[in-house]
Amino acid sequence: MGSGNELASATRTVHVTCSLDCPDSCGIIATVDNATERVVRITGDPEHPVTRGFLCGKVARYLDRVYAPDRLLHPMKRKANVPKGPLKHGEEFAAFERISWDEALDTIAQRLQFISDEHGPESVLPYSYAGTIGQLGYGSMDRRFFHRLGASQLDRTICASAGSAALNTVYGVRIGPEPQSFVHAKLILAWGANLHGNSIHLWPFVEEARRNGARLVVIDPYQTKTAKLADEHIALTPGTDTALAMSMMHVILRDGLEDRDYIAACTHGFEALRERVMTAEYAPENIAKICGIDVETIVTLARRYATTKPAVIRMNYGIQRTDNGGTAARAVGMLPLLTGAWKHHGGGLMLSSSNAFGFNSAKLQMPELMHASPLHREARMVNMSQLGHALTELTTPHIHALFVYNSNPGAVAPNQNAVLRGMRRDDLFTVVHDCFLTDTTDYADIVLPSPSFLEQDDVQGAYGHYVAQLSLRAMQPQGEARSNAWLFGQLAQRMGFDEPCFRDTEHDLIRQALDTQHPWHQGITMEALQAHGNMMQLTLPRNECGEFMPFTDASWFRTPSGKGEFYSESLLEQGLDPLPAYVAAPERKDSTQPLRMLARKADNWMNSTFANMAKHRGMEDARIGLNIVEMHPDDASARGLHEGDEVEVANERGSIRLEVAFTGRVVKGTVATSLGWNKLSRDGNGVNVLTSERVTDIGGGATFYAVNVQVSRAATSVLQ
Ligand SMILES: Nc1nc2c(c(=O)[nH]1)N[C@H]1C(S)=C(S)[C@@H](COP(=O)(O)OP(=O)(O)OC[C@H]3O[C@@H](n4cnc5c(=O)[nH]c(N)nc54)[C@H](O)[C@@H]3O)O[C@H]1N2
Ligand SMILES: Nc1nc2c(c(=O)[nH]1)N[C@H]1C(S)=C(S)[C@@H](COP(=O)(O)OP(=O)(O)OC[C@H]3O[C@@H](n4cnc5c(=O)[nH]c(N)nc54)[C@H](O)[C@@H]3O)O[C@H]1N2
Ligand code: SF4
Ligand SMILES: [Mo]
């Protein structure tokens, strides 16, 4: 690669994949200086059909992160005299002393063996999420290792499990229209989806559609940039999406706007649904006040949705982070079944494209190894959204070792005070593998350095498009950083796991991931990927016009009935309501905590990733985000508060210090603040001090946006 001119000959370019937890999975062109082997520039791959040559603001500055002076570059162990607990930013390194990889691996292997012998292997808990979503980095050798050990299994529910389980009940599979097809839509509903902040590569397609006359409606309690730029912003009360979707159904059926042919051919349980939504309870006149919007808004939205073709819904995970969240995703997911929106190219519904990928995860993760463990059976499951409970209360057995990688639970996990109380335990052995010292490493016994996505080999799908990509390292790992796959292969060998699978190299694993009979992976091999610029579209079934149009007929559904299910017998079997129903969140009834809080993601960092980077922090609007609570002026004046006042935002789980800002982005009754690093907040407490370990109705997901709080003037200021 590289071209003929003088500058280019000094450099080469490599296609890598952004492995951050983002639907866009961008193709990236990294320019490497041949003399220094440094990556000097990264840009969006212009050949990638969704990336189309640009990167988001976060990753445009990724090299600052890769070459950051405070990157973790070597294994370290906690100094004997330093207790576990929060460290000031910039002072973390002083708590640890450098050790060799050999010493680190030997220590970990010995401790895990001892703990496993003493308390049973299930007393070891792996804790990982999506630091990288590459197939190898997200779940391959690590799973083999913990399966063979017999460690507790982690139920990875912190992000998407409610929405995923919900859509599975309706469709049996999670796929949707290609992002490129959004240009054909005439109505786009961004429902709990912050496109501008969280998945910017859909935006140009939305804009093109709007130039062609499409209307963009954003349904979000918060006025995101996406909402500000939309044709209409419906700022509903958080957690009331089920009510809104069912009221829309009520209007559609009342006005006879449903697609009867589609319903007859492709759906199951329509009469039962009709009976449920046609009760007076779901009439817009009753639902409007629940949602905090006008009756007319619901009626117009429903009619417009049913009569505009093509109409597409970009539902995202925002709507499912509440107690009734699984049902909300179900109800919204049913709308295109009612109107037959799937029949029109550019219409339908997109939550995730991940089910279209058929990487061989069974081969990568080998769950059968649990039977070779001392347990000789499947290990127990621990819900990651209840880590505080797991570390402080779970018995049979207690957790005695916590192995964190790809995640920063000290900041991102709900009920933070319980999580940190657990991680502070002296009798808990904690290992953390990360690129930086974080709010979690403050509690680690051993820290291990991990590479960035420029420094490791992987293969990746996406949850916002249908392109498979190979990502071969553009540079050598910084310092002694080593990948997740390498780490767990090494540990396995030190623990005497002699199965040959623990000696597989990263390239072996990539080949195993691609070794699949999945019909949409035809011809996608490592060699083929390399021959195609490291990216290939899945071989999706297309019509004669080349269009990918799922759910146009009944053959697409993977539900028990083989149809789109309004009524779910499988939910009934689990003792759940087979039909959607709006149920108010429990905390909303508590009058001592009358304000609903959105514990949001920041636009310029990725969950907690980048929150420590000065330039990223600078990009975030100073009046939003960390250290700020956005309030409606009426809610403030009712408490005698003014803009700029320092306040205590509190509930029964804890309190945090923030400064009041009037941004015009929240409606009365709702306040908002952002997720970031605890140690960079005003009082050392992150927003997750306030979030709870309650889980969603379906899918056991976290309920980050179902939090009630009281706001009051801070007694004494912690301001410098
Ligand atoms: N810049 C940036 N990009 C990111 C991330 C990040 O942290 N920063 N995180 C990445 C990750 S891990 C994920 S999962 C995706 C998530 O991306 P999204 O699925 O878009 O999820 P969220 O940002 O959680 O929520 C989207 C919107 O839902 C709104 N919302 C909250 N409660 C409700 C409700 O009850 N009803 C409705 N209708 N809306 C509600 C929020 O105000 C928010 O604007 O983004 C990814 N991309
Ligand atoms: N209040 C509140 N809390 C939230 C959310 C919210 O919206 N509000 N969002 C929730 C959601 S949707 C999610 S997905 C979770 C996200 O939670 P996490 O998945 O924990 O996300 P990050 O905070 O980005 O932390 C990922 C960590 O992995 C590290 N990492 C990156 N690459 C590698 C690698 O190759 N190997 C290893 N070992 N480590 C690596 C990064 O440096 C980073 O510290 O947070 C959840 N928490
Ligand atoms: S975070 Fe998302 S938008 Fe940004 S470069 Fe990565 S995949 Fe693309
Ligand atoms: Mo997420």
Side-chain angles (χ1 to χ4, degrees):
M1 281 190 240
S3 61
N5 70 47
E6 217 171 284
L7 180 70
S9 64
T11 61
R12 64 182 191 276
T13 58
V14 187
H15 171 111
V16 295
T17 311
C18 175
S19 70
L20 294 177
D21 185 3
C22 166
D24 297 359
S25 283
C26 284
I28 296 183
I29 300 292
T31 304
V32 187
D33 182 316
N34 287 329
T36 61
E37 287 296 319
R38 278 174 78 91
V39 175
V40 290
R41 186 161 174 252
I42 58 170
T43 55
D45 190 338
E47 304 295 322
H48 190 292
V50 179
T51 308
R52 302 208 297 182
F54 76 96
L55 298 175
C56 68
K58 308 175 283 295
V59 171
R61 288 165 186 76
Y62 193 67
L63 293 180
D64 289 352
R65 181 174 161 85
V66 172
Y67 293 113
D70 56 346
R71 246 191 87 173
L72 175 59
L73 297 176
H74 307 283
M76 298 195 292
K77 70 174 178 195
R78 177 170 295 278
K79 287 179 180 166
N81 56 350
V82 181
K84 296 180 185 184
L87 297 161
K88 278 211 176 107
H89 190 45
E91 295 178 7
E92 298 94 338
F93 278 92
F96 295 94
E97 60 191 90
R98 185 173 164 182
I99 52 174
S100 66
W101 265 109
D102 269 334
E103 180 180 344
L105 293 166
D106 282 339
T107 309
I108 297 167
Q110 280 160 19
R111 287 298 298 271
L112 293 185
Q113 191 64 60
F114 177 80
I115 288 167
S116 172
D117 292 346
E118 200 77 353
H119 306 284
E122 286 168 310
S123 65
V124 176
L125 181 69
Y127 195 92
S128 76
Y129 201 62
T132 160
I133 61 168
Q135 288 293 308
L136 275 51
Y138 180 75
S140 61
M141 196 62 92
D142 53 318
R143 309 297 164 95
R144 290 182 187 176
F145 173 78
F146 290 114
H147 289 155
R148 174 68 181 77
L149 183 66
S152 286
Q153 299 188 78
L154 188 71
D155 196 2
R156 290 176 172 78
T157 57
I158 204 159
C159 171
S161 63
S164 304
L167 269 210
N168 283 347
T169 64
V170 183
Y171 292 92
V173 57
R174 293 176 326 279
I175 52 174
E178 289 181 288
Q180 299 93 312
S181 76
F182 275 60
V183 299
H184 302 293
K186 292 290 178 232
L187 178 68
I188 301 170
L189 306 189
W191 202 320
N194 179 11
L195 306 183
H196 238 276
N198 299 356
S199 52
I200 187 70
H201 290 85
L202 189 62
W203 188 252
F205 300 116
V206 171
E207 281 292 83
E208 195 179 329
R210 294 175 82 191
R211 283 196 295 278
N212 296 330
R215 182 181 179 86
L216 171 66
V217 181
V218 170
I219 304 172
D220 190 320
Y222 184 87
Q223 190 202 47
T224 57
K225 192 170 170 195
T226 322
K228 211 167 183 170
L229 294 171
D231 299 293
E232 182 182 357
H233 174 206
I234 300 177
L236 83 176
T237 303
T240 62
D241 301 271
T242 308
L244 175 59
M246 292 180 71
S247 194
M248 285 172 70
M249 295 180 194
H250 181 100
V251 175
I252 291 169
L253 295 177
R254 188 182 66 190
D255 293 2
L257 299 175
E258 73 275 19
D259 183 332
R260 293 196 186 133
D261 293 341
Y262 186 85
I263 290 169
C266 297
T267 72
H268 169 79
F270 172 67
E271 283 309 323
L273 178 79
R274 174 199 285 277
E275 209 171 296
R276 174 72 59 93
V277 301
M278 290 318 286
T279 55
E281 193 189 344
Y282 293 107
E285 293 71 23
N286 292 325
I287 292 301
K289 55 183 178 301
I290 292 176
C291 298
I293 57 180
D294 296 334
V295 174
E296 208 35 51
T297 304
I298 302 179
V299 174
T300 309
L301 177 68
R303 291 195 179 138
R304 204 172 251 147
Y305 176 70
T307 56
T308 311
K309 318 272 173 190
V312 68
I313 300 177
R314 179 53 163 122
M315 166 159 72
N316 223 330
Y317 293 106
I319 73 162
Q320 43 109 70
R321 307 196 197 290
T322 100
D323 300 79
N324 195 216
T327 300
R330 263 169 61 71
V332 175
M334 288 173 190
L335 286 168
L337 295 178
L338 210 57
T339 61
W342 294 105
K343 295 193 326 202
H344 309 275
H345 186 231
L349 176 139
M350 171 66 132
L351 173 65
S352 168
S353 59
S354 60
N355 259 190
F357 293 88
F359 293 110
N360 197 338
S361 56
K363 206 161 184 172
L364 284 180
Q365 304 186 354
M366 304 180 65
E368 67 275 14
L369 285 168
M370 280 187 277
H371 294 279
S373 78
L375 293 175
H376 303 296
R377 59 165 167 83
E378 280 205 10
R380 72 169 171 192
M381 204 50 106
V382 173
N383 187 332
M384 75 185 298
S385 299
Q386 297 174 324
L387 178 64
H389 170 85
L391 295 180
T392 55
E393 288 174 45
L394 190 65
T395 52
T396 61
H398 283 293
I399 305 292
H400 287 274
L402 177 69
F403 203 131
V404 180
Y405 56 105
N406 277 350
S407 186
N408 183 9
V412 306
N415 197 9
Q416 185 169 103
N417 283 331
V419 170
L420 299 183
R421 202 164 57 244
M423 293 205 304
R424 204 190 275 267
R425 278 172 39 204
D426 284 328
D427 62 340
L428 181 73
F429 174 64
T430 300
V431 181
V432 182
H433 185 218
D434 202 302
C435 330
F436 284 88
L437 293 179
T438 65
D439 285 318
T440 305
T441 55
D442 286 355
Y443 298 81
D445 293 283
I446 305 263
V447 291
L448 304 170
S450 87
S452 71
F453 64 66
L454 293 175
E455 303 156 54
Q456 51 186 322
D457 299 337
D458 216 321
V459 63
Q460 189 171 317
Y463 60 100
H465 61 68
Y466 296 98
V467 182
Q469 293 174 88
L470 187 66
S471 193
L472 298 181
R473 63 182 64 176
M475 57 187 274
Q476 289 306 311
Q478 287 285 91
E480 293 180 307
R482 294 293 177 267
S483 70
N484 301 357
W486 180 90
L487 161 63
F488 289 104
Q490 291 293 315
L491 264 183
Q493 291 172 47
R494 290 194 196 228
M495 293 200 59
F497 301 163
D498 51 16
E499 290 84 352
C501 66
F502 290 112
R503 273 182 284 279
D504 286 342
T505 65
E506 271 127 334
H507 286 217
D508 294 334
L509 291 166
I510 291 175
R511 286 180 200 285
Q512 289 161 13
L514 291 167
D515 181 10
T516 164
Q517 299 306 312
H518 196 284
W520 300 353
H521 272 249
Q522 278 167 43
I524 304 183
T525 61
M526 192 159 165
E527 288 69 25
L529 280 162
Q530 284 178 293
H532 289 88
N534 286 356
M535 57 187 172
M536 290 172 80
Q537 299 255 14
L538 291 184
T539 47
L540 302 170
R542 293 178 185 278
N543 63 20
E544 57 285 0
C545 306
E547 298 158 346
F548 173 58
M549 291 184 58
F551 309 114
T552 40
D553 60 46
S555 68
W556 290 84
F557 297 94
R558 294 288 174 271
T559 52
S561 66
K563 300 239 173 120
E565 295 194 352
F566 295 124
Y567 183 97
S568 167
E569 272 89 6
S570 37
L571 284 180
L572 187 64
E573 277 162 28
Q574 296 166 47
L576 298 170
D577 193 338
L579 289 164
Y582 169 68
V583 181
E587 292 204 6
R588 294 189 64 216
K589 295 175 189 141
D590 187 341
S591 62
T592 63
Q593 294 164 12
L595 297 170
R596 176 84 173 217
M597 188 188 72
L598 294 172
R600 297 172 46 77
K601 298 170 192 303
D603 278 357
N604 294 294
W605 49 83
M606 192 76 191
N607 302 309
S608 76
T609 298
F610 300 117
N612 58 325
M613 309 295 303
K615 282 194 195 150
H616 290 79
R617 296 174 72 76
M619 290 192 297
E620 197 72 8
D621 184 336
R623 292 173 66 244
I624 312 180
L626 211 57
N627 289 329
I628 292 294
V629 57
E630 298 178 65
M631 284 185 91
H632 191 278
D634 290 354
D635 291 326
S637 66
R639 291 163 177 78
L641 299 170
H642 304 97
E643 182 148 41
D645 282 353
E646 191 183 356
V647 290
E648 202 145 18
V649 182
N651 62 21
E652 70 274 24
R653 288 174 290 276
S655 77
I656 58 178
R657 294 291 180 101
L658 299 168
E659 184 184 312
V660 174
F662 299 154
T663 59
R665 293 184 170 100
V666 290
V667 294
K668 212 171 149 181
T670 300
V671 300
T673 185
S674 288
L675 172 66
W677 279 26
N678 311 339
K679 58 174 68 187
L680 294 173
S681 73
R682 190 176 295 251
D683 62 353
N685 289 315
V687 64
N688 279 316
V689 158
L690 301 171
T691 56
S692 84
E693 294 180 66
R694 289 200 318 276
V695 294
T696 52
D697 50 354
I698 301 171
T703 53
F704 290 113
Y705 300 156
V707 180
N708 264 35
V709 296
Q710 183 54 289
V711 178
S712 51
R713 187 178 301 282
T716 50
S717 178
V718 290
L719 279 180
Q720 310 286 319

